Amino acid sequence: MDITDAISKMTIEEKASLTTGKDFWQTRNIDRLGVPSLFLSDGPHGLRKQAAKADRIGLNASVPATCFPTASAVANTWNPDIVRQMGEALGKEAASMNVQVLLGPGINIKRNPLCGRNFEYYSEDPYLAGKLAASCIQGIQSRNVSACVKHFAANNQEERRMVIDTIVDERTLREIYLTAFEIAVKEGRTRSIMASYNMLNGTHAAENHHLLVDILRKEWGFNGVVVSDWGGDCNRIPSIQCGLDLEMPVNAGISDVEIVNAVRSGNLDEAVLDASVRRIIELGRNTAAAEHFDFDKKAHHRLARKIAAEAVVLLKNENNILPLKESARTVFIGDFVKNPRYQGAGSSMVNATKIDTAYDMISDIPGVTYAKGYERHGKRNMNLFREACICAGKADTVVLYMGLDEMSEVEGLDRRTLALPENQTELLAEIAKVNKNIVVVLACGCVVEMPWIDSVRAVVHGYLHGQAGAGAVVDILYGRENPSGKLAETYPLQYSDIPSSSNFPGKEVSVEYREGLYVGYRYFTTAGKKVLFPFGYGLSYTTFKYGNISVSKNGVVFTITNTGSRAGAETAQLYVGKADSLLFRPVRELKGFSKVFLEPGETKEIQIEFDDKTFRYFNTVSDKWEIEPGVYRIEIGASCTDIRLTAGYTVAGTEAPQLYERGELQSYYTADVLHVGDAEFEKLLGYKPVEPRWDCTKKLEYNDTLSQLFYAKGTMGRFGFHGMQFAYKFFKLIRNTMMVNTFDMSLFHMPFWGIVRMSGGVIDFPMLDGIMEMVNGKFFRGLGIFIKAKKAKSKRDKQREAAHE
């Protein structure tokens, strides 16, 4: 098919139709011109192609697929090669199910550990996230399936995610929140990218010219398809003008009409529409060669287990209590032993082809017993407590599985605390009274506080390890595998230590990123603040020695020797810093890494090359990347705080204008960013940010949410709010989890414009105008507008149906 010729033969209506969904997951097709429909599917760590009624939050079943470890686990491997293998497997499964676009990976930065969707994201560090994402993308697209990197950009909280305005300075935006996407685009060569729901510095990401045009298209040279998050395109004409090509899901032609009218009135250049149509057709052509065959379920299950084994992080191993001896009397305690937590909840939820359990993996080991210990969802059960303590008292070693339940880590909801459920920590305290040899296995995809850590001998974190991960964890416990996972995020001593803790989540209009560059380890290492476990940390059953460092213009060369008695893997990490910088900057930043597998006594020479990101910073005066001249500190570490080798290296740099006056940004120069004042933050931004609180005296508008009906001027609006509250409490009372989750994740924080975008075309914007009038106190005027708009819409729908016939 000649794309230029096909576009020239299309009507404006046909062109417009290609830029919106046909249904919940498919794009439109034009059979007379040979333009096929594309099928898009969730799938950051496994395909979620729904066989029955479609939904976005993971409530309805999907076709069985391999559930690989989630991104938070995969990141702990620090192994781009194995991530590429996972991507290839995902691509195979997508092709087997006739899926052309896989919605993943997710690469948003873990700004705050309470973000409910952190399990879907790689890291607090953009370089690590970007490199792993690039490998995953390359793997997926090697099977002629398109990856769709998400969520672009600065989407770092779930609460009010469709309307929250992320206020972040340009340097921080570029260096922290966009670098991973830049690597995904330039190195991964992703064919599509998903715009996020949130606003960024006053404009929705889906229609943000600076983000989508200046940076993505012009600076990075991206020529693929930009797709909206589902129901996330609130203004179709501004968004398509900014190069958002595809709006999903279906909206019964509402956007088609907007686009056609805009072209005919001159408000939208038809060439802009043609460019979007071309990119969508090219995406279809690039994915048309995918081979449709059944995938090897057993092989993919084995790969999932292999990845999970590399992702397990050994956090503590006092007196080498691990690995366990099979001859010892060991009791495994915890509901997660029989019913594993292996994935999060929401749109990434996979219907696994097979689920391994720790219980099955230990059933053949002599001397091993089991006790449930606690109720999974937090309810106290003293009978279970007593049974577990009796078993613990008779055992040589206790292996206690602890973690979070399914609804603690879920799309649409942020966590409220870093703590584990009280019934689990209380059980731990009771077990410690009868047995001191306790090994804790954590089952969750996120950071948790561990005030109990001195009560246990060992801690193993399996993260959300996918369908085969239970066996991988048991292999680690018994020494069949040597742990090599390294943390991709920092574990603080307490939540209040987190630099964004006083600015998360944004509750009303905006969320202010006052901490600037100081995210995760960048803050803790620069401020000299103690942590529980640092970024890059992870123990092994063997030991490693670093030596012989040399630095050249090409990078760093050094050696690593396995000085222990077991074969094992070590991840060496390259950090770069500049002590005499005229800028404020973190004391060290990750600029490279290498994972090496070594036999006992073996030595290997490692080279980590410098790249275009090694020494750069973004200068907001010159509006480009610059390099500060001078001597840089080159560090090789086993973690961000365990630096084994150090050298200096002089860089010529670029001639760049001065960026800051130290006296004006003292908090940033000293990394004292827990409570940055208004004046200093405004100086960093370069402007006065929007008022973060609602103005409850104003009428409700499109971008306000259904939860704000509480402040509505009209009785109908307040009645609607109390009706939602009543329904929510009723569903909680009868324990209808599906409906409670729907309210929590979707309805309360749905903006009014979202009613149109997520209604499947039942309601259009003229009808919404009537609703807005009613909730704002003009009931009868609004009712009249609504009825008139509904009649007009019905007439248009009949005309469109007749035209299709």
Side-chain angles (χ1 to χ4, degrees):
M1 174 181 55
D2 183 286
I3 296 177
T4 300
D5 181 60
I7 293 174
S8 70
K9 294 176 180 177
M10 291 181 191
T11 65
I12 297 176
E13 288 80 3
E14 286 176 322
K15 294 176 183 179
S17 73
L18 290 179
T19 66
T20 57
K22 178 169 70 175
D23 55 27
F24 208 81
W25 296 113
Q26 296 183 88
T27 65
R28 301 268 183 81
N29 52 289
I30 302 177
D31 292 337
R32 73 178 185 88
L33 296 174
V35 178
S37 171
L38 301 177
F39 198 106
L40 296 81
S41 175
D42 284 315
H45 55 268
L47 268 288
R48 192 179 75 92
K49 183 175 182 180
Q50 290 180 304
K53 187 177 180 181
D55 72 89
R56 183 65 179 151
I57 56 177
L59 301 178
N60 294 321
S62 57
V63 177
T66 307
C67 182
F68 290 95
T70 67
S72 64
V74 171
N76 295 335
T77 70
W78 291 65
N79 187 344
D81 291 337
I82 204 168
V83 176
R84 182 186 170 95
Q85 292 176 42
M86 174 175 159
E88 290 174 356
L90 289 170
K92 284 182 181 179
E93 295 195 20
S96 75
M97 299 180 196
N98 200 27
V99 169
Q100 285 77 43
V101 181
L102 189 64
L103 302 178
I107 59 175
N108 294 95
I109 294 300
K110 297 182 181 183
R111 173 181 179 248
N112 187 287
L114 291 183
C115 175
R117 211 168 177 181
N118 275 354
F119 68 90
E120 276 193 65
Y121 304 140
Y122 289 116
S123 180
E124 66 188 32
D125 182 83
Y127 190 87
L128 177 60
K131 289 294 185 178
L132 296 180
S135 291
C136 184
I137 293 162
Q138 291 164 3
I140 292 169
Q141 296 188 166
S142 71
R143 300 298 171 180
N144 294 308
V145 172
S146 172
C148 184
V149 177
K150 59 185 184 181
H151 308 86
F152 192 60
N155 174 199
N156 308 106
Q157 69 176 66
E158 289 300 288
E159 185 170 334
R160 295 183 57 78
R161 61 179 177 165
M162 295 185 78
V163 294
I164 199 70
D165 191 357
T166 297
I167 307 298
V168 58
D169 69 281
E170 185 71 11
R171 184 182 170 201
T172 299
L173 178 67
R174 296 298 197 110
E175 294 185 22
I176 303 297
Y177 297 100
L178 295 188
T179 292
F181 287 99
E182 180 186 358
I183 295 171
V185 168
K186 291 183 176 180
E187 297 180 23
R189 298 188 178 277
T190 185
R191 292 173 182 152
S192 60
I193 191 166
M194 182 187 291
S196 56
Y197 284 125
N198 57 288
M199 301 174 74
L200 177 60
N201 293 327
T203 306
H204 274 282
E207 57 190 79
N208 193 304
H209 189 278
H210 180 55
L211 190 64
L212 298 182
V213 178
D214 296 340
I215 297 174
L216 180 62
R217 298 286 189 193
K218 293 182 177 179
E219 187 177 321
W220 297 350
F222 179 69
N223 58 7
V225 169
V226 178
V227 58
S228 73
D229 204 338
W230 265 234
D233 186 358
C234 59
N235 294 302
R236 189 62 186 116
I237 304 309
S239 72
I240 198 170
Q241 288 173 330
C242 289
L244 189 135
D245 305 300
L246 177 61
E247 178 192 3
M248 292 296 289
V250 62
N251 62 19
I254 291 173
S255 293
D256 296 9
V257 172
E258 293 179 43
I259 290 170
V260 170
N261 290 342
V263 170
R264 287 178 174 159
S265 66
N267 291 326
L268 175 63
D269 188 339
E270 190 170 355
V272 172
L273 175 60
D274 288 352
S276 286
V277 170
R278 174 178 294 277
R279 288 190 287 263
I280 292 168
I281 295 175
E282 286 177 344
L283 180 63
R285 185 167 64 183
N286 290 335
T287 58
E291 298 179 36
H292 308 300
F293 51 82
D294 291 338
F295 64 93
D296 188 334
K297 294 181 176 62
K298 291 182 179 179
H300 285 195
H301 188 78
R302 289 193 298 270
L303 175 60
R305 183 165 177 161
K306 179 182 177 183
I307 296 168
E310 281 200 43
V312 174
V313 185
L314 178 59
L315 296 175
K316 180 179 180 179
N317 192 19
E318 185 179 297
N319 297 327
N320 292 321
I321 190 172
L322 294 177
L324 299 171
K325 295 179 175 62
E326 292 196 9
S327 59
R329 293 174 300 171
T330 304
V331 59
F332 279 68
I333 298 175
D335 185 64
F336 298 118
V337 176
K338 277 193 171 182
N339 303 290
R341 271 294 317 282
Y342 61 96
Q343 65 176 329
S347 63
S348 68
M349 188 177 290
V350 180
N351 180 11
T353 58
K354 177 183 178 182
I355 302 172
D356 289 342
T357 74
Y359 184 82
D360 291 335
M361 297 296 131
I362 61 175
S363 59
D364 294 333
I365 301 175
V368 171
T369 55
Y370 167 74
K372 183 176 180 180
Y374 54 79
E375 297 284 356
R376 188 185 196 86
H377 300 292
K379 183 179 178 181
R380 285 181 176 84
N381 187 321
M382 297 311 297
N383 290 330
L384 292 179
F385 270 37
R386 283 190 289 270
E387 178 196 14
C389 289
I390 291 170
C391 292
K394 297 177 181 178
D396 297 320
T397 305
V398 176
V399 179
L400 176 60
Y401 276 60
M402 304 171 70
L404 302 175
D405 67 16
E406 284 72 10
M407 291 316 299
S408 296
E409 299 176 90
V410 60
E411 177 182 355
L413 294 176
D414 294 313
R415 290 195 293 155
R416 297 180 181 178
T417 176
L418 293 182
L420 291 172
E422 286 186 12
N423 67 332
Q424 295 182 37
T425 56
E426 289 171 358
L427 174 61
L428 171 58
E430 291 302 310
I431 290 174
K433 294 176 182 179
V434 299
N435 195 323
K436 300 298 182 184
N437 294 324
I438 303 172
V439 176
V440 166
V441 176
L442 291 173
C444 54
C446 56
V447 171
V448 292
E449 290 177 341
M450 303 182 202
W452 39 263
I453 195 165
D454 291 337
S455 302
V456 304
R457 294 285 174 84
V459 179
V460 174
H461 203 331
Y463 274 73
L464 296 180
H465 48 49
Q467 67 180 50
V473 172
V474 171
D475 286 343
I476 295 289
L477 291 173
Y478 281 96
R480 300 167 198 148
E481 294 277 355
N482 193 346
S484 64
K486 299 269 191 172
L487 293 177
E489 54 194 330
T490 303
Y491 278 57
L493 291 171
Q494 56 197 2
Y495 178 70
S496 58
D497 292 341
I498 298 293
S500 60
S501 58
S502 60
N503 288 291
F504 180 92
K507 288 286 188 180
E508 297 186 9
V509 175
S510 64
V511 55
E512 297 177 342
Y513 287 22
R514 294 195 176 212
E515 71 281 358
L517 298 173
Y518 297 107
V519 175
Y521 74 90
R522 285 171 166 79
Y523 166 71
F524 289 103
T525 54
T526 308
K529 201 148 192 170
K530 291 183 178 180
V531 299
L532 182 61
F533 298 113
F535 174 84
Y537 170 86
L539 300 176
S540 172
Y541 293 151
T542 190
T543 54
F544 301 95
K545 181 182 178 181
Y546 291 63
N548 306 313
I549 186 171
S550 64
V551 184
S552 70
K553 65 179 182 179
N554 296 321
V556 191
V557 177
F558 55 96
T559 59
I560 299 180
T561 302
N562 183 344
T563 54
S565 59
R566 288 173 175 263
E570 172 71 335
T571 299
Q573 302 153 41
L574 167 64
Y575 294 95
V576 175
K578 193 173 190 301
D580 59 348
S581 177
L582 297 178
L583 309 166
F584 67 81
R585 62 199 309 166
V587 68
R588 64 178 56 96
E589 297 180 275
L590 183 74
K591 297 297 180 178
F593 56 93
S594 178
K595 189 167 189 175
V596 57
F597 295 83
L598 296 166
E599 295 295 327
E602 184 181 9
T603 298
K604 285 186 179 179
E605 185 176 85
I606 309 300
Q607 180 174 4
I608 301 178
E609 296 181 352
F610 295 153
D611 61 22
D612 62 327
K613 298 166 188 66
T614 303
F615 302 107
R616 74 178 189 176
Y617 74 95
F618 193 81
N619 189 302
T620 55
V621 177
S622 65
D623 195 31
K624 63 181 182 179
W625 294 100
E626 305 280 8
I627 297 175
E628 188 179 14
V631 179
Y632 284 80
R633 188 175 56 256
I634 308 300
E635 301 174 326
I636 301 297
S639 78
C640 72
T641 59
D642 184 8
I643 303 302
R644 304 291 183 89
L645 303 171
T646 304
Y649 184 69
T650 301
V651 178
T654 56
E655 294 183 6
Q658 184 174 341
L659 192 52
Y660 306 119
E661 292 290 341
R662 184 183 180 100
E664 297 174 330
L665 296 168
Q666 189 65 22
S667 295
Y668 295 101
Y669 275 92
T670 60
D672 184 17
V673 295
L674 287 178
H675 303 286
V676 174
D678 293 348
E680 219 171 349
F681 186 53
E682 287 178 23
K683 186 66 180 176
L684 181 68
L685 286 173
Y687 62 91
K688 184 178 177 61
V690 64
E691 170 58 46
R693 308 286 293 181
W694 289 322
D695 181 352
C696 298
T697 65
K698 293 173 60 177
K699 295 193 304 182
L700 293 177
E701 299 175 342
Y702 277 2
N703 211 46
D704 292 317
T705 61
L706 299 185
S707 63
Q708 291 172 252
L709 285 170
F710 178 81
Y711 302 104
K713 296 183 180 298
T715 302
M716 177 187 170
R718 293 193 298 275
F719 179 80
F721 174 82
H722 291 298
M724 284 198 306
Q725 284 283 74
F726 176 82
Y728 178 70
K729 291 177 181 178
F730 172 74
F731 288 126
K732 286 192 79 171
L733 183 66
I734 65 172
R735 298 184 179 181
N736 187 326
T737 304
M738 185 178 78
M739 289 307 301
V740 169
N741 294 344
T742 299
F743 274 90
D744 279 333
M745 292 188 280
S746 302
L747 293 183
F748 283 130
H749 300 303
M750 173 77 72
F752 285 97
W753 59 261
I755 296 173
V756 175
R757 295 309 187 198
M758 294 299 285
S759 70
V762 175
I763 296 175
D764 63 8
F765 280 104
M767 293 165 68
L768 180 61
D769 288 336
I771 293 172
M772 298 305 297
E773 288 290 318
M774 286 188 272
V775 301
N776 280 313
K778 298 181 179 179
F779 180 81
F780 291 107
R781 171 182 165 81
L783 183 61
I785 293 173
F786 183 87
I787 292 172
K788 182 178 179 181
K790 185 170 179 17
K791 289 179 178 178
K793 181 178 179 302
S794 297
K795 183 178 179 180
R796 288 196 307 272
D797 290 345
K798 290 178 181 178
Q799 291 173 341
R800 188 175 68 253
E801 290 172 6
H804 286 158
E805 292 175 359

